[in-house]
Amino acid sequence: MRRRSRQVLLLRPGAREGTDSIRGTVERVTYRSEESGYAVLRVLLPGAAEPATVVGNVGAAQVGEELALQGRWVRNPKYGPQFEVETCRSVVPATLTGLQRYLGSGLIKGIGKELARRIVGAFGPETLAVLDERPERLVEVEGLGPKRIDRVREAWREQKVVKEVMIFLQSHGISPLFAHRIWKRYRDETIDVLHHDPYRLARDVAGIGFKTADRIARELGLPADAPARAEAGVLHMLSERTNDGHVWVPRAELLERTERELEVPPGPAERALDALLLARRVAGEPPPPAVPAPGVNWVPDELAPASLATCERSIAESLADLVAAPAPGPRIDVPRALAWYESRASLRLAELQREAVARALAEKVLVITGGPGTGKTTLLRGALAILARKRLRLALAAPTGRAAKRMTEATGLPAQTIHRLLAFDPRGGGFAHRRGAPLEADVVVIDEASMLDTVLAHHLLAALPPEARLILVGDVDQLPSVGPGNVLGDVIESGRVPVVRLTEVFRQAAASRIVAGAHSIRRGEAPRSAPDKGGDFYFLEEEPERVTERIVKLVAEDVPRRLGVDPVREIQVLCPMNRGRAGSHELNEALQARLNPDGLEAVSGWKRLRVGDRVMQVANDYERDVYNGDLGRIAAAREAQGDVVVDFDGRLVAYDARDLDALVLAYACSVHKAQGSEYPVVVVPLVPSHWVMLARNLLYTAVTRGRRLVLLVGSRRALWRAVRNDRPTLRRTKLVERLRGALRPLPAT
């Protein structure tokens, strides 16, 4: 089947390709999302016999309203010519008939078609002037009492403010989508906020960064050396470093990058930093080796967003409280409990596993870490069975939904995401379980703990009652969390929390080439392919320019034919990078064209999602209860409206057209996005253009995601680069020293 493609349709002679301006009257509102502002309108253009279809963000446009629009004509494969809106401006209707339709369109609450007819009949061409300047004259309209007049006056005022704000924003180059988001955030205060501090947009409105806010500020006449700009620039650069995983940033580096990348000179940046420290929006640490005495002035050597610095301290304090408090429940006779479990499960635990179970029964806080095949699941099942037998309340959780589902399958006990465990409230923006309102649990077990970032770890630990036990299970050799911090690694490195390291690979697991390959990579050795065609791990050497083509054939033909798997549901391509040759963007496009070329489409801008596509959520959406990294499949789509329904493991979630930026194709995704997940088949491209990202922990993480088959496809040079590059992912945190300051050293063993 031939892939559908969008064609630009020019309907007006002399128009510049892809752009046009039109003006017309809204005849019908076919669809509107109140949440996003996206709409499908039928608009009658001057001299046209039939209304044209207009799609995009048009604010509160209503039937009868005249609009001046800028955008481009496109041809939808199913619905034909459509005008995609870039900017939208309301125009006062020029005729009494248009005015009557405008007022009676539902634009103003309290004014229907009949009342609109009477108002226009009473005031004629002066109708809008009366509503704007002399609304008290509405008493002249038959059937309007005082209460209804007040409602009409207030509704007219509100819609007028909305239109003024939209016109103001779009006149300063803000797209209708962002204009809608800004209006939703600030409402009547929008214009005041923008004049006072346009850089608030970068902090408060999703999708608007420093550079966009800076352009708006310049449009509004804010000088380049304004203190607000310097403060926003410093905060932006600090945020950029936390996006790279750091909690703390050296002062000199922060100032240098702020000057180089944002053109904020050192003087204004220094003053901005002082103001941010004074306002406690930024935290500072003195230079080593010692904290200055009280009253002694000092200049911070390292800086962090104040919220992250607070989270780090809170993690250390919470762990100290846990360790200090007595454990709940009766005393456990460990040898007897172990014998009971082995008899019940008809197995014999290895010595290190017995030690781990014993420590899980005795310690208040314990870390269990180890690679694939080392028995983490077996010992965890044993410890949980014994603790449940003692009637202790168990709470199992993981950072992602897929990891929680795997935890349930492995233990036979219900597990959930940490957000659900803590009962996140999307409206209030916080957790129901927190310090002062703790979880009702005696034992809390967190799987895939390597994914815990500083903020989530803070909220989790703050919600634990001091008497609870905590067991963290994870593979410290995997990639660190996507968010800032390196919590599991720092907890282990601190030496203040008991750790069980599982190193023995059990016989059954050792038969798997996937497990053997993962451990070879961890040791810095090149993994070896299976010796026969029935194996589960292979390196397939391929020329870099042919890797994408080879992977598409493997996914669409070779692997499904050999294993009988569904190429969309059961094969996951994991990429070191998103961009460039054999990156996730290129592979997603190629795989969609091959695996799902003709599904019903939802189109938003240049994004095309088809019914049947594998997709991933790329931002936490607490209202929909969908989180970054969740995988789903497009179950339904409406082409004209551009909205979709996604099936997330049996749960259907609806998305409006303007929410589609939270979804991406996921036939291929980054290795980072796959943390906490497992797939029947994993395919990993390895090409030299990924050089900067090729590292041992990245390849190890990718390989350990596969269950039945792992294929590495690419150049041997790139494979060796990944295996040999064991430079640790250095993240600047202070959690190790915080833990060492809050907790006593472990007893010598």
Side-chain angles (χ1 to χ4, degrees):
M1 298 293 291
R2 201 177 75 184
R3 185 180 176 187
R4 293 173 176 173
S5 62
R6 167 169 294 181
Q7 300 174 2
V8 174
L9 180 70
L10 297 180
L11 299 187
R12 182 163 62 84
R16 187 161 52 89
E17 184 178 33
T19 66
D20 212 337
S21 298
I22 63 173
R23 181 167 172 163
T25 304
V26 180
E27 292 285 307
R28 183 170 77 248
V29 179
T30 304
Y31 168 83
R32 183 197 309 282
S33 165
E34 295 301 329
E35 177 66 22
S36 68
Y38 181 85
V40 179
L41 309 178
R42 296 285 284 167
V43 176
L44 186 62
L45 307 181
E50 293 290 331
T53 300
V54 171
V55 297
N57 195 297
V58 292
Q62 298 287 344
V63 173
E65 188 171 359
E66 189 169 341
L67 302 177
L69 305 166
Q70 286 187 325
R72 61 180 181 267
W73 288 101
V74 299
R75 180 179 291 279
N76 182 283
K78 183 173 181 180
Y79 296 100
Q82 296 182 343
F83 189 82
E84 285 192 343
V85 175
E86 293 176 358
T87 65
C88 170
R89 181 169 57 87
S90 179
V91 180
V92 175
T95 67
L96 292 182
T97 301
L99 186 58
Q100 182 175 316
R101 292 188 65 196
Y102 174 67
L103 291 179
S105 65
L107 177 70
I108 308 155
K109 291 179 182 177
I111 300 183
K113 292 181 179 178
E114 174 57 27
L115 182 55
R117 184 188 64 77
R118 280 187 273 141
I119 291 174
V120 174
F123 304 117
E126 297 181 16
T127 298
L128 295 182
V130 168
L131 290 169
D132 280 339
E133 301 163 13
R134 300 184 62 189
E136 66 275 4
R137 287 191 59 193
L138 288 171
V139 296
E140 300 172 23
V141 178
E142 182 184 352
L144 269 184
K147 289 185 178 179
R148 197 172 182 193
I149 288 173
D150 287 342
R151 288 200 301 270
V152 170
R153 290 172 67 173
E154 182 59 23
W156 177 257
R157 188 197 69 80
E158 285 183 5
Q159 68 84 29
K160 188 178 177 185
V161 169
V162 173
K163 291 186 181 299
E164 287 175 353
V165 168
M166 290 298 179
I167 291 170
F168 173 82
L169 293 173
Q170 293 182 46
S171 70
H172 287 90
I174 301 173
S175 71
L177 171 60
F178 285 133
H180 184 80
R181 289 182 183 174
I182 293 167
W183 162 253
K184 282 183 62 180
R185 177 65 178 82
Y186 301 121
R187 297 289 177 180
D188 290 5
E189 299 177 2
T190 299
I191 294 176
D192 287 342
V193 165
L194 292 183
H195 277 300
H196 179 68
D197 182 9
Y199 293 100
R200 278 187 61 182
L201 296 176
R203 304 193 298 271
D204 297 344
V205 182
I208 295 185
F210 172 83
K211 292 183 179 178
T212 302
D214 194 36
R215 178 178 56 76
I216 294 168
R218 298 295 182 90
E219 291 258 357
L220 294 171
L222 200 72
D225 59 354
R229 181 176 189 271
E231 288 186 18
V234 169
L235 289 172
H236 172 72
M237 292 314 307
L238 203 54
S239 175
E240 288 285 291
R241 300 307 284 148
T242 62
N243 289 340
D244 292 335
H246 302 290
V247 175
W248 295 86
V249 183
R251 180 189 185 93
E253 177 188 323
L254 179 65
L255 293 172
E256 186 273 329
R257 292 188 62 163
T258 304
E259 180 181 18
R260 172 166 48 88
E261 297 184 29
L262 305 180
E263 299 180 353
V264 177
E270 290 270 11
R271 290 190 291 275
L273 198 46
D274 290 341
L276 292 167
L277 286 162
L278 189 63
R280 298 187 178 180
R281 294 171 65 190
V282 170
E285 285 283 311
V291 177
V296 175
N297 291 329
W298 54 275
V299 175
D301 188 52
E302 292 186 277
L303 302 150
S307 59
L308 285 182
T310 299
C311 287
E312 269 197 346
R313 292 190 180 91
S314 172
I315 290 169
E317 292 166 3
S318 297
L319 283 173
D321 290 343
L322 279 177
V323 170
R331 188 185 68 82
I332 298 174
D333 184 332
V334 175
R336 185 176 177 184
L338 286 169
W340 169 82
Y341 174 69
E342 289 179 329
S343 173
R344 178 175 179 256
S346 301
L347 57 77
R348 176 70 179 174
L349 293 171
E351 193 56 41
L352 195 55
Q353 288 178 314
R354 292 174 65 85
E355 177 193 336
V357 173
R359 298 190 76 176
L361 301 177
E363 303 285 2
K364 281 296 301 299
V365 180
L366 179 69
V367 173
I368 300 172
T369 186
T374 56
K376 294 193 298 294
T377 300
T378 300
L379 72 87
L380 188 58
R381 275 199 298 258
L384 291 173
I386 294 168
L387 292 167
R389 178 79 171 178
K390 294 297 181 180
R391 300 188 184 282
L392 295 174
R393 296 169 298 175
L394 307 179
L396 280 62
T400 68
R402 294 180 70 84
K405 185 178 179 181
R406 286 176 48 218
M407 195 179 189
T408 296
E409 293 167 352
T411 64
L413 296 170
Q416 57 193 315
T417 65
I418 295 173
H419 282 87
R420 288 198 185 117
L421 176 69
L422 302 184
F424 185 82
D425 176 11
R427 287 190 171 83
F431 292 99
H433 295 296
R434 56 191 185 279
R435 200 177 303 279
L439 290 163
E440 295 181 358
D442 301 313
V443 182
V444 176
V445 183
I446 304 299
D447 199 11
E448 295 291 350
S450 62
M451 298 178 68
L452 279 175
D453 62 33
T454 300
V455 176
L456 188 56
H458 149 69
H459 286 297
L460 170 68
L461 293 169
L464 300 186
E467 64 273 10
R469 303 172 192 260
L470 173 66
I471 302 174
L472 299 175
V473 184
D475 188 344
V476 75
D477 293 315
Q478 289 185 19
L479 289 168
S481 59
V482 175
N486 185 30
V487 175
L488 182 64
D490 287 350
V491 168
I492 293 172
E493 186 183 341
S494 73
R496 295 298 195 262
V497 172
V499 177
V500 173
R501 294 178 182 269
L502 302 174
T503 55
E504 179 184 355
V505 179
F506 290 93
R507 185 178 304 168
Q508 184 177 355
S512 165
R513 283 283 177 176
I514 296 175
V515 173
H519 285 280
S520 293
I521 292 166
R522 186 178 58 80
R523 293 190 301 267
E525 302 168 2
R528 289 184 293 176
S529 290
D532 54 58
K533 291 186 178 181
D536 61 2
F537 181 92
Y538 298 93
F539 170 68
L540 306 177
E541 192 163 8
E542 186 58 83
E543 293 297 322
E545 60 271 15
R546 296 189 57 201
V547 165
T548 293
E549 178 186 347
R550 179 76 178 274
I551 287 177
V552 170
K553 185 174 184 296
L554 285 166
V555 172
E557 299 176 24
D558 300 346
V559 175
R561 184 168 55 243
R562 176 187 150 184
L563 296 183
V565 295
D566 182 332
V568 176
R569 295 179 186 274
E570 298 178 282
I571 302 178
Q572 184 63 55
V573 180
L574 300 180
C575 304
M577 294 182 68
N578 290 322
R579 300 187 183 278
R581 174 175 290 161
S584 65
H585 296 335
E586 178 178 286
L587 279 159
N588 271 318
E589 199 169 300
L591 287 165
Q592 185 194 43
R594 180 66 183 275
L595 297 174
N596 192 23
D598 201 37
L600 185 68
E601 284 185 338
V603 180
S604 178
W606 294 104
K607 177 172 286 189
R608 292 175 173 274
L609 298 178
R610 298 172 184 157
V611 171
D613 275 341
R614 183 184 181 99
V615 293
M616 177 181 285
Q617 175 81 12
V618 292
N620 288 337
D621 187 331
Y622 300 109
E623 292 189 12
R624 288 186 173 87
D625 197 20
V626 184
Y627 301 97
N628 193 350
D630 283 357
L631 281 174
R633 198 168 183 183
I634 303 291
R638 294 194 295 177
E639 286 186 313
Q641 290 83 355
D643 52 9
V644 301
V645 175
V646 182
D647 182 347
F648 289 102
D649 291 328
R651 192 168 67 90
L652 298 179
V653 180
Y655 287 78
D656 290 328
R658 291 302 177 174
D659 297 325
L660 294 188
D661 55 359
L663 294 173
V664 297
L665 289 174
Y667 299 101
C669 70
S670 70
V671 179
H672 284 83
K673 290 290 187 185
Q675 288 176 265
S677 298
E678 278 188 356
Y679 314 94
V681 179
V682 163
V683 183
V684 185
L686 294 171
V687 295
S689 58
H690 295 166
W691 197 262
V692 69
M693 291 298 295
L694 295 175
R696 187 179 300 175
N697 60 355
L698 182 137
L699 183 59
Y700 175 82
T701 301
V703 168
T704 54
R705 301 307 89 201
R707 287 199 306 270
R708 294 180 60 187
L709 178 65
V710 171
L711 302 174
L712 309 181
V713 184
S715 77
R716 198 167 295 278
R717 179 168 171 252
L719 172 63
W720 270 110
R721 160 70 179 181
V723 170
R724 290 172 173 171
N725 180 16
D726 192 32
R727 288 178 301 177
T729 306
L730 178 63
R731 291 191 167 189
R732 296 190 183 97
T733 77
K734 295 191 177 296
L735 184 56
V736 170
E737 56 197 78
R738 304 269 190 247
L739 292 169
R740 288 174 177 169
L743 296 163
R744 294 178 180 177
L746 295 173
T749 57

